[in-house]
Amino acid sequence: MSQHLLLLLVILAISPIPGDSQDSALSPTPEEPEDLDCGRPEPSARIVGGSDAQPGSWPWQVSLQQSGGHICGGSLVAPSWVLSAAHCFVKNGTLEPATEWSVLLGVRSQDGLLDGAHVRAVAAILVPDNYSSVELGADLALLRLASPAQLGPAVRPVCLPRASHRFAHGAACWATGWGDIQEAEHLPLPWVLQEVELRLLGEDACQCLYSRPGPFNLTFQLLPGMLCAGYPGGRRDTCQGDSGGPLVCEEGGRWFQAGITSFGFGCGRRNRPGVFTAVAPYEAWIREQVIGSEPGPAFPTQSWEPQSGPWEPRDENCTIALPECGKAPRPETWPWEAQVMVPGSRPCHGALVSESWVLAPASCFLDPINSDGPPRDRDNWRVLLPSRPRAELVARLVLHENASWDDASDLALLQLRAPVNLSTAPRPVCLPHPEHYFLPRSRCRLALWGRGEPAPGPNSRLEAELLSGWWCHCLYGRQGASVPPPGDAPHALCPAYQEEEEAGRCWNYSHRSLLCQEEGTWFLAGISDLSSGCLRPRVFHPLQTHGPWISHVTGGAYLEDQLNWDWGPEGEETETRTCPPHTEHGACGLRPEPAVMGVLWPWLAEVHVAGDRVCTGILVAPGWVLAATHCVLRPGSTTVPYVEVYLGRAGDSPLPQGHQVTSAPPLLCLTKRRSWVLTGMALPGSRELFAAIGPEEAWISQTVGEAHFLPPSGYPHWPPEGSDLCPPDMASAPGSPQAAVFLLLLTPLMQG
Ligand code: ARG
């Protein structure tokens, strides 16, 4: 396949192109190639983090279009030649036909053509033979126009550097384009050309940044012929749609094209500067392609002696930028915590996400009576931030478009009238990119969110630990649903936390935010889903999916790459996982991965009999617990004593003094699909002999109605014989002792 490609490229590069003679007949008076004036915009005068370019300031910038839509940038290097990136034209190893492309010249904004703007058809696309993919370099292309461009104030060529040309490290250069202004955010109408100042990074500095490991293999080897420009801290960069466009540096009153926008990891991310094709090393290749074309591109001599220049790469240090968000100056300080004070209602808790923006639930500001709009007295709103002498004024409120009907989008952004200086406090919290994967067992906190009431107890930020994504997804998801693998935004996050001792009280209607820590940096990972009520674990809506909206509105929120990605064999599992059988109430038999906090065996119940005996019961449906008869009834007695059942705390709270523990352990077996099945109940006085539950199926299902039994066909999932789990026929083995079990109908004692 790739050999075919190479052949094709060679043919394109050497074959005479039809219409050649016609082109030269149309071209203006021939000049010596070196006489072509280049790199001088008319005197007068995104890209991520850029700004609108002035008309005519980058007269060599062109837009390369396919069926009338902008695809890539390019630069005019001679009346009939445009320089761009190979990857714009090579799809699946095949060069696209030149006839599909057109070149728009002399435009600043793409919605209306200004003076001097015109279109040219493309006669040929030339790509180096050794181009295969962007990471392997040689990402450049030359386009020969079907007829020469009309040079004028809005259309002029840029100068090209000779092979010996050296650009100073640290030089301030400019990239231009109509590409995305953030990851996944297109340049809005009227598509005004964006410009951004980028610093040239030396090879070592750039390699050092890209050698730092990260999630999803974002390291790569910088190759000769590539150059980097940007900042270790990110935030200013080129992005999708800028490819092929120029990176230009001014020297001696002329603009030289140092690079061609090629690729990057994300856009504007910390320690991931943009990678460009260096133009100078391709002097010979460019000259070869344009032979015979007059005037050809201009390669003016460099105005200063490169040998003595400040470009020597020797002791360039490796400057790695640290995250600016999510750092607490001391443990238990939360410098992003914001309280929005709206006259007449309780304070609303939110989080500072940038210098000027606070994220909070939209429900704080939606007027339940007049749902058409938020309250209007915004002048009287105040925002309290840590370590600020005075409250901040609010300039703007932006509600999420789905805020009023979708719980997961109950979000609003408030803009402060004046940005705060970021110091140790206030300081914004980090936000996750859509592909962020919070590892199971991450250390998290549940903080106040919205009009939440402080939790009982001394600590209003409950400690929590993230449970496995698989478990959370299946518990709240659908039977047979496939579980999003790391790298896909999750549907739900489940933190396990220790409930405050005031048992029975669940902060039912109180909102919480989920903050998770990675390498000492805090991320706002999710917001609580109120619909899960008092069910444990509570489910949180992940914030991942909202990253693009938040960056769109704020233009500068701190989305940070994942800092901890050692997900071990679990995350590398390629096989798609599906969820086990569900009852009407969710998955049964699902057990979280071992967690320090929370319940290891979520169906275990403490059955307290007559106030002094404790044995183990099993939750088989939301209202029913199964317990061994000998645990509930005293020998010889037939009256049922007073029984209390405690759920969701098995094993994690000490039993009251003086209680006699009657052991009646259940036997649970793990199916292949990783759900647990109750197989037996211990016989009286024994820890090793169990009575099978199988024969009781009819009685249990008649009584309970909603208990979930694995169909007999579910049993092929039993582990193979000889494994140390249950034998395949245990559950219904004939002649096994009969189980004596009790079903306890639950009635709530304490309400939340
Ligand atoms: N490959 C992109 C394009 O086709 C350019 C990406 C540049 N990315 C960056 N982070 N600098 O438009």
Side-chain angles (χ1 to χ4, degrees):
M1 185 64 192
S2 62
Q3 271 172 351
H4 288 289
L5 163 71
L6 290 188
L7 250 172
L8 176 72
L9 298 184
V10 173
I11 293 166
L12 276 168
I14 58 174
S15 60
I17 288 111
D20 227 4
S21 49
Q22 194 199 355
D23 269 3
S24 38
L26 282 175
S27 57
T29 19
E31 284 173 84
E32 279 301 303
E34 299 295 327
D35 287 342
L36 178 73
D37 193 25
C38 64
R40 294 190 201 269
E42 186 79 341
S44 82
R46 247 184 267 210
I47 298 285
V48 173
S51 43
D52 290 359
Q54 288 306 307
S57 25
W58 313 108
W60 40 81
Q61 173 79 46
V62 304
S63 163
L64 303 179
Q65 310 214 329
Q66 243 179 348
S67 350
H70 170 90
I71 307 285
C72 272
S75 56
L76 189 72
V77 296
S80 293
W81 292 95
V82 162
L83 187 61
S84 185
H87 80 257
C88 296
F89 312 100
V90 178
K91 295 280 130 71
N92 306 320
T94 314
L95 188 63
E96 294 182 337
T99 48
E100 286 182 5
W101 290 87
S102 56
V103 177
L104 217 59
L105 301 111
V107 285
R108 171 171 169 262
S109 105
Q110 298 228 346
D111 65 338
L113 300 187
L114 305 169
D115 260 9
H118 56 285
V119 189
R120 285 290 179 267
V122 178
I125 302 174
L126 315 176
V127 166
D129 293 351
N130 61 340
Y131 171 77
S132 57
S133 69
V134 283
E135 311 83 26
L136 297 179
D139 186 16
L140 76 162
L142 272 169
L143 275 63
R144 199 164 54 80
L145 306 184
S147 57
Q150 271 165 21
L151 304 190
V155 180
R156 288 167 195 266
V158 68
C159 304
L160 295 183
R162 298 184 179 199
S164 57
H165 199 117
R166 293 289 176 274
F167 292 97
H169 293 164
C173 301
W174 291 80
T176 43
W178 290 278
D180 292 355
I181 54 170
Q182 308 255 7
E183 281 177 35
E185 184 176 359
H186 299 319
L187 177 67
L189 287 168
W191 295 311
V192 178
L193 179 67
Q194 298 293 296
E195 59 181 28
V196 69
E197 187 177 324
L198 301 177
R199 300 266 170 189
L200 296 187
L201 287 161
E203 253 163 72
D204 294 356
C206 183
Q207 185 62 67
C208 143
L209 297 180
Y210 269 105
S211 306
R212 286 175 62 79
F216 313 108
N217 288 332
L218 45 61
T219 59
F220 97 103
Q221 178 66 45
L222 195 71
L223 297 172
M226 294 179 176
L227 69 81
C228 300
Y231 305 86
R235 303 179 85 72
R236 276 176 282 174
D237 197 1
T238 53
C239 199
Q240 264 51 44
D242 290 323
S243 278
L247 173 73
V248 294
C249 316
E250 192 181 16
E251 277 178 24
R254 281 181 192 276
W255 290 89
F256 285 87
Q257 182 169 356
I260 303 166
T261 298
S262 179
F263 70 100
F265 180 87
C267 300
R269 295 196 184 191
R270 194 170 57 85
N271 296 328
R272 308 290 166 197
V275 184
F276 298 76
T277 306
V279 177
Y282 291 97
E283 177 189 0
W285 183 81
I286 295 171
R287 285 195 192 269
E288 226 174 276
Q289 311 311 305
V290 303
I291 270 173
S293 169
E294 306 242 307
F299 292 87
T301 24
Q302 189 163 20
S303 53
W304 48 274
E305 221 14 71
Q307 276 69 29
S308 58
W311 50 271
E312 280 301 321
R314 244 164 261 133
D315 45 53
E316 208 182 22
N317 47 5
C318 180
T319 323
I320 284 157
L322 298 173
E324 287 185 73
C325 52
K327 287 275 179 224
R330 285 182 311 283
E332 302 303 310
T333 52
W334 312 93
W336 45 84
E337 281 187 347
Q339 281 185 55
V340 186
M341 319 296 286
V342 174
S345 35
R346 277 191 288 139
C348 174
H349 297 267
L352 188 70
V353 294
S354 78
E355 284 83 342
S356 324
W357 291 88
V358 167
L359 183 70
S363 48
C364 281
F365 315 109
L366 288 170
D367 182 343
I369 298 157
N370 161 34
S371 57
D372 290 349
R376 265 156 292 134
D377 59 343
R378 200 165 315 135
D379 288 349
N380 299 322
W381 297 13
R382 294 290 180 274
V383 176
L384 303 180
L385 293 172
S387 311
R388 292 278 291 178
R390 266 188 303 273
E392 324 295 322
L393 302 177
V394 175
R396 205 146 74 92
L397 171 72
V398 181
L399 300 174
H400 192 289
E401 53 174 353
N402 301 342
S404 47
W405 57 270
D406 171 14
D407 228 17
S409 307
D410 182 11
L411 293 171
L413 282 159
L414 281 100
Q415 187 177 27
L416 307 178
R417 285 248 185 110
V420 294
N421 269 337
L422 297 189
S423 53
T424 47
R427 186 188 271 274
V429 68
C430 300
L431 297 171
H433 282 291
E435 76 278 6
H436 199 116
Y437 178 69
F438 289 102
L439 298 180
R441 315 206 57 175
S442 294
R443 311 303 316 220
C444 304
R445 289 299 189 96
L446 307 185
L448 285 183
W449 187 247
R451 302 244 159 81
E453 274 180 79
N459 198 342
S460 62
R461 295 164 205 90
L462 298 177
E463 285 185 50
E465 187 185 311
L466 219 54
L467 298 172
S468 98
W470 169 80
W471 193 69
C472 182
H473 181 87
C474 290
L475 197 62
Y476 286 99
R478 274 177 304 107
Q479 172 167 343
S482 54
V483 183
D488 287 3
H491 306 315
L493 295 171
C494 291
Y497 55 90
Q498 217 103 52
E499 193 109 50
E500 297 294 316
E501 210 15 74
E502 215 179 303
R505 217 191 111 132
C506 83
W507 18 273
N508 202 354
Y509 295 104
S510 111
H511 249 328
R512 290 280 168 153
S513 64
L514 174 67
L515 293 159
C516 293
Q517 200 185 23
E518 282 181 8
E519 306 281 307
T521 297
W522 289 93
F523 285 84
L524 186 59
I527 51 171
S528 56
D529 175 356
L530 295 180
S531 69
S532 60
C534 286
L535 282 183
R536 299 259 319 251
R538 281 184 72 140
V539 68
F540 280 70
H541 296 297
L543 215 71
Q544 267 107 315
T545 39
H546 296 297
W549 171 71
I550 298 170
S551 355
H552 164 75
V553 175
T554 62
Y558 289 82
L559 271 67
E560 183 63 44
D561 276 325
Q562 191 164 338
L563 298 169
N564 193 349
W565 55 88
D566 181 17
W567 41 64
E570 169 97 357
E572 275 143 38
E573 226 167 75
T574 44
E575 187 190 327
T576 342
R577 290 220 219 146
T578 50
C579 298
H582 273 46
T583 66
E584 217 187 306
H585 305 279
C588 60
L590 275 193
R591 197 193 137 201
E593 252 98 78
V596 172
M597 256 168 261
V599 183
L600 293 187
W601 302 97
W603 44 81
L604 285 197
E606 273 175 36
V607 180
H608 291 230
V609 185
D612 67 347
R613 262 176 302 149
V614 177
C615 60
T616 311
I618 296 269
L619 187 72
V620 293
W624 292 94
V625 162
L626 189 72
T629 307
H630 69 269
C631 158
V632 181
L633 291 187
R634 288 192 184 272
S637 158
T638 48
T639 42
V640 179
Y642 178 67
V643 175
E644 272 180 354
V645 169
Y646 291 86
L647 290 165
R649 65 179 225 186
D652 65 18
S653 49
L655 289 173
Q657 289 274 312
H659 277 229
Q660 172 202 345
V661 177
T662 310
S663 170
L667 178 67
L668 295 154
C669 298
L670 184 61
T671 66
K672 250 203 191 135
R673 299 175 77 184
R674 306 221 298 168
S675 54
W676 291 85
V677 180
L678 175 65
T679 310
M681 293 296 272
L683 295 176
S686 173
R687 298 190 129 260
E688 287 94 26
L689 282 177
F690 295 87
I693 282 294
E696 302 304 328
E697 170 171 352
W699 171 69
I700 297 173
S701 57
Q702 257 170 34
T703 315
V704 174
E706 49 196 341
H708 191 85
F709 288 87
L710 277 191
S713 60
Y715 288 106
H717 295 307
W718 288 117
E721 231 166 319
S723 73
D724 53 4
L725 287 166
C726 317
D729 51 356
M730 169 105 196
S732 51
S736 68
Q738 216 193 325
V741 281
F742 232 90
L743 276 166
L744 306 169
L745 175 62
L746 306 177
T747 48
L749 270 180
M750 279 168 289
Q751 244 105 21

